[in-house]
Amino acid sequence: MTEPVLDDVNKRIIERLQQDGRASYATLAAVVGLSEAAVRQRVGRLLDSGVMQIVAVTDPLRLGFARQVMVGVKVEGDIRPVADALAGIDEIDYVVICAGGYDLLVELVCTDDEHLLRLLNDTIRSIPGVRSTETFVYLKLAKQTYSWGTR
């Protein structure tokens, strides 16, 4: 499937959905000046192409995950297979290949410290190519947003 063109209408649809992911097609149609059917088609193309997702953002603490951490990972050799292996771990919700002091940044959620220890020691550090890790425990999430707009 070809990627949809990010014209001004698609950008306004995306920006509105970043503000309220539950906005109706009627609301979106009024914002962009198109019919509901046209907006439905545009949203469908944006979703199908992977340009955007509409998901429920949850609070891990309220779902029984008492520990959230970011792990900096240093890798020997090719970074990509390590990133792929980490991406396959259910508790990991974020994997980024990056430049700087770490090759990868990985965010994970755990039920408790014992769960975190098992993930770090038995799972993450046992992946071939992982040279070292450093764990940053979240004390409080001060800001999390997904409404950065479009360009």
Side-chain angles (χ1 to χ4, degrees):
M1 168 170 264
T2 61
E3 278 200 22
V5 175
L6 285 182
D7 60 13
D8 288 339
V9 172
N10 280 347
K11 288 178 181 181
R12 287 197 327 250
I13 290 170
I14 291 168
E15 289 167 355
R16 181 65 176 95
L17 287 170
Q18 285 176 329
Q19 295 169 6
D20 178 7
R22 298 182 303 167
S24 69
Y25 291 123
T27 298
L28 295 171
V31 168
V32 300
L34 296 176
S35 69
E36 286 183 51
V39 168
R40 186 178 299 109
Q41 287 178 341
R42 283 176 175 260
V43 169
R45 285 194 297 268
L46 290 166
L47 292 169
D48 291 344
S49 68
V51 169
M52 70 174 189
Q53 299 175 359
I54 299 173
V55 299
V57 177
T58 59
D59 179 347
L61 288 174
R62 292 183 182 206
L63 296 176
F65 297 102
R67 181 67 66 220
Q68 264 188 292
V69 302
M70 181 69 68
V71 180
V73 181
K74 293 184 181 181
V75 174
E76 284 183 347
D78 191 348
I79 297 169
R80 291 167 296 195
V82 177
D84 291 342
L86 290 166
I89 299 170
D90 288 340
E91 293 90 346
I92 293 178
D93 60 28
Y94 180 84
V95 177
V96 175
I97 296 173
C98 57
Y102 301 100
D103 299 306
L104 299 165
L105 291 176
V106 178
E107 183 180 68
L108 54 127
V109 293
C110 305
T111 54
D112 54 31
D113 287 336
E114 184 62 34
H115 186 198
L116 173 59
L117 178 61
R118 281 194 317 275
L119 279 170
L120 288 171
N121 195 57
D122 302 341
T123 307
I124 294 173
R125 290 183 179 153
S126 68
I127 295 171
V130 171
R131 182 169 36 120
S132 66
T133 63
E134 184 174 355
T135 303
F136 303 90
V137 176
Y138 293 6
L139 299 176
K140 180 180 179 183
L141 185 60
K143 180 180 180 179
Q144 183 174 11
T145 183
Y146 299 97
S147 56
W148 47 76
T150 60
R151 301 289 173 263

